[in-house]
Every structure is written in structure tokens, then in C-alpha cells.
Amino acid sequence: AGIGNIYRSEILWRQSVHPETPGREISRQTFNQIWNDANALLTIGVKQNAIITVDEAQPSKTRYKERVNIFAKKQCPSCKSEIRRFDIRGRRAFVCDTCQRIWYSYSNINDLSSFPPFLITHQSYIRVRLGSKQRYNSNVQTTWFSLI
């Protein structure tokens, strides 16, 4: 058992984390924010007997009476971009690709083994934007980039 599809999509959206971001790429600070948000939302859910991730919304007519930002929605409430639905191991996930950019790191641009397989396969078709996030691990500077 896990946190569930609705909470997963909602919490990651609230923390601007793309659901396909590898766990090893999430900083301790981001992990703590996700953890604290999950704790707060689950506490509210238990008290209200409903899944609530946004205050100013009408409860849905489903059995969960959820009030959500992006789960099963067509448009992002923040940027008005289209919400994309996809499956993660047979479970529904929702993402705003504008608000939730996927970030990868690399230490050496010439070492393609650190790139996800789809970037290696399609490297000539992918544009990347170098980010301003910098992290230092073992005296190796890591540059973060996001798919555009």
C-alpha cells in the first residue's frame, strides 16, 4: 500500500516535482517538503473524511469527495496549461509539464551513461535548458537541466 494516486499527483504538483523525476535527484529539502505536505494533507483528510488538497473547491461526487488541484482535471489551476494523464506501473498519474519540470543531473556531458535512456536514444531531438541549480557532491559540480 502506498499514499495513493490522488495524493501522489497532488503532493508532487504542490511541491513542483515531476512524477518521473528519479528519486536520487530529489534533494533532502524537497524530500522533507513532500513528507511534511503529505503529513498535513493526510491529517486533514482523516479529520474531514475526504481527500482535500485545495480549500476553495466544491467536493466531487465520487466516493472520496475529493477537492483537488490537478487529479483528473483538464487544466492546471496555476498556469492554465493542459494536465497530462499517464500511467506509472498501471496506476494513473497526472502532471502539469509546465509547473512540474523534470530535472536530471550530470557531472560530465561526455559521459552518456549518466543520462536517462530516452535522452541517449533521442539526444539529437532534445533541447535542454541549463538550470541555475548547483549542487556539490564529493567535490564534483553537478549541473541540473530540464527538458524544454
Side-chain angles (χ1 to χ4, degrees):
I3 196 160
N5 294 350
I6 298 172
Y7 280 118
R8 178 187 59 211
S9 290
E10 291 293 308
I11 291 166
L12 292 177
W13 178 81
R14 288 166 55 104
Q15 299 305 320
S16 301
V17 175
H18 195 285
E20 296 175 308
T21 300
R24 68 183 176 275
E25 302 296 346
I26 295 174
S27 69
R28 173 49 89 179
Q29 179 182 357
T30 300
F31 173 83
N32 289 342
Q33 290 170 331
I34 291 169
W35 182 265
N36 293 336
D37 201 21
N39 190 15
L41 291 177
L42 290 170
T43 300
I44 292 167
V46 168
K47 286 181 182 175
Q48 299 293 322
N49 195 31
I51 297 172
I52 301 171
T53 63
V54 60
D55 291 330
E56 302 83 31
Q58 293 297 318
S60 73
K61 296 181 188 224
T62 70
R63 66 180 174 163
Y64 300 113
K65 302 176 198 150
E66 69 265 7
R67 288 186 269 171
V68 296
N69 291 291
I70 68 165
F71 188 85
K73 303 284 184 174
K74 295 189 182 296
Q75 188 178 56
C76 175
S78 179
C79 71
K80 307 303 182 213
S81 294
E82 182 179 345
I83 299 297
R84 179 171 61 90
R85 178 189 187 266
F86 64 102
D87 290 338
I88 298 176
R89 296 188 180 226
R91 307 293 292 181
R92 292 186 300 167
F94 297 86
V95 65
C96 171
D97 288 311
T98 301
C99 294
Q100 297 170 266
R101 293 212 182 266
I102 189 164
W103 292 89
Y104 294 99
S105 66
Y106 67 92
S107 299
N108 181 350
I109 190 94
N110 297 319
D111 178 14
L112 292 181
S113 66
S114 65
F115 281 77
F118 69 87
L119 283 181
I120 296 169
T121 305
H122 302 290
Q123 62 189 11
S124 61
Y125 302 104
I126 300 278
R127 294 184 303 152
V128 297
R129 174 173 46 192
L130 292 177
S132 59
K133 294 183 180 183
Q134 298 288 324
R135 184 178 3 171
Y136 295 89
N137 293 333
S138 305
N139 297 325
V140 175
Q141 182 177 343
T142 302
T143 302
W144 294 81
F145 64 90
S146 171
L147 300 180
I148 297 177

